Structure formats: structure tokens, C-alpha cells
Amino acid sequence: TLTTDVNDDPEYGGFSIYTEGNMLITGAKTVINANDGVGSSADDKITIEDGKITIVSSDTALLGWKGVTITGGTLDITVNTGSAILARSGLLSITGENTSIVATSNDPDVATIRNFNDGGLYLDAAITANNTADGGKPFEGVKKDKSTAITLGEGFDVFGAKIYTTENGHSYFIPEDGDETNPLTGKATLCKHVWGEPVWKWADDFSSATATFTCANDAGHVETVLASEDAITSKTTTEASCTEEGVLTYTATVSFNGKDYTNDNTAPIPASGHKLTKVPAKEATEKEDGNIAYWVCSVCGKYFADAEGKEEIAD
């Protein structure tokens, strides 16, 4: 357990941890509570494998001059100036199923989690980056070869945002329907979506349907997919009779996240009603039977004593 508190010494404004080489923080029982001036810094690389780390810093909280690698642990970092986590020249990599990071900065000029000179960001864990300053970005990466400098693990994304890379090799997030002049600011949460079964909603006339998917990891992440008229088929599953309704079944199909989803909805087919033809009464003769007046249905073949088809009779 390491605890540093700048309030214990008002003249102190330095590092909680500093090394001229590599810094390794590991061990499930490791606890760091730091309230300092300029965080923790390594002239080489910072590696964090486990532990519970809470930092409140006036300036950059974690600085690895040649890179930062985080593969585990719970980190809660807040800075007033600079980035919460910064790799100067080298990859900033955050991975691990057991990694949880919440990082907050109040600096409008730099991103909360960023790579400064080269190496970019690789993000493959549960990460929330928040920049509370007006216009402050949550993430930013840089690569000297000008390629995309933010790479996400499989299945991860920042909901409602996409990665944009400038011609100088600076990558950051922009709103999904935005452009490079409108960078994403404020809070961004990296989420590995687990999509459940969709909730379907049909148009009253069955001409269209929507399937709404909600992420099990974050109920605020919702995607709605339209099944247009071309993606809807219909067929009669129960024929209507003269007196009983039939059933018309509509089937809608949508494709989402590499998988097809279908949903059925039914509409009644009205009963057709009897189509009656009157057969007049005929007197019997010595050679032929006679009959009373009656009505016969050309659809079902039944016989009735009345024109409304209410009183069925035998042949």
C-alpha cells in the first residue's frame, strides 16, 4: 500500500512515484492512493498488471516516456491539467478482461488518455475517459507514419462515435454522423457490446418493422434496424372459410452484427361468408322427387333454409 498526499506538505508538488527506468505495478493486493503534484512518471515504460490505483493529481497522473502498458487492475484517475494517462513516445496499450479504468481531465488542450509523439493507442478493455473542460477530447493517439493511431480490440467501440485520423497522423473520435471539424468531447466509454434478442415493432399496415437491440453491458447503447418493405414476406398460414377467419403471417428479416434476425406477425383474413344460390321449390311427381325451396353455398356446399344462411338443413 502506497499513500501520498500533497496536503500533508503544502510545499510538496512532485511525483508520487518516479523512476529513471521502467516502472512495474503488479499484485492483486497492491493499493495506491496518490494525491500529488505531477503524478507518477517513468523515463522508460510504465506497466500495470493489477492492483487498485486511485490518483488525484494537479498535472499528468501517469506518464511513460517510452510507453504505457496496462493489462489489469482498477484505476480511478483525476487530473486538473494535462492527461490522466500519457505515453510520450511509444504505444499506450490498455487491455485485459479484469481491467477497469475511469480517467478524468479538466484540460481543454489535451486529451484525457493520449499518446503524444508516436506509437498510438490500443484499447481493448473497459475504459471511460472524461474531459470536463469545454472542447476537451477524451482520447487521442499519434503515429509518425500517419496511419490510424487508435486501434480497438475486437467487439469494442465508443458507442455513437467513429475514429478519425488527420493527414498528420493524429487520431481521435468524432460523432458517427459528424466530420473532422466536430471532434467528440466530454465523456467516451469503450464498450464490448453484448447484444440481446431484439424488440420488434411493426407498422400498423405491416409494410415495415424495426428491430431494437440493447447492449447487456450498457443499457444506454441501443441500435435500431429497419426491415423495409422489401425485407418482409407474407403467406397464408390458415385459409379463411365461409364462417371462420384465416391467418396471414408476415415475416420480417434484419441483419445486425453479422447475424440475421426474423420475426413473425399475423393478421386475420376475414371470413368470406356464404355465397348462396336459391333453388326454387319443386312439386314431386310420380316420376321425380320434389324439394322445398332452399339455398346452397357454392363455396362450402352446405344447404340453408333461408337466404341469410342462418338455418342449415340437410340435403
Side-chain angles (χ1 to χ4, degrees), residues 241-311:
S241 68
C242 295
T243 57
E244 300 291 334
E245 289 184 341
V247 177
L248 182 63
T249 299
Y250 292 88
T251 301
T253 302
V254 299
S255 296
F256 177 71
N257 201 34
K259 183 179 176 181
D260 289 338
Y261 295 83
T262 61
N263 183 252
D264 292 336
N265 203 352
T266 59
I269 302 173
S272 61
H274 295 296
K275 295 182 180 179
L276 299 176
T277 301
K278 184 178 181 180
V279 178
K282 186 175 70 173
E283 293 290 336
T285 67
E286 292 181 357
K287 295 183 178 180
E288 291 184 351
D289 291 336
N291 59 267
I292 62 171
Y294 67 95
W295 284 259
V296 62
C297 177
S298 61
V299 177
C300 65
K302 292 181 179 180
Y303 301 94
F304 299 91
D306 60 308
E308 289 75 31
K310 294 180 179 180
E311 184 182 349

Side-chain angles (χ1 to χ4, degrees), residues 1-15:
T1 299
L2 171 67
T3 300
T4 63
D5 192 344
V6 70
N7 296 316
D8 292 340
D9 182 357
E11 296 183 0
Y12 172 76
F15 299 103

Side-chain angles (χ1 to χ4, degrees), residues 91-107:
L91 174 66
L92 196 166
S93 173
I94 303 174
T95 64
E97 292 183 0
N98 298 318
T99 301
S100 177
I101 295 178
V102 177
T104 303
S105 173
N106 190 38
D107 194 326

Side-chain angles (χ1 to χ4, degrees), residues 12 39 50 57 111 116 123 156 173 176 208 225 244 251 255 272 283 303:
Y12 172 76
D50 212 336
S57 182
F116 174 71
L123 309 175
F156 279 92
F173 288 94
E176 205 160 43
S208 65
V225 184
E244 300 291 334
T251 301
S255 296
S272 61
E283 293 290 336
Y303 301 94

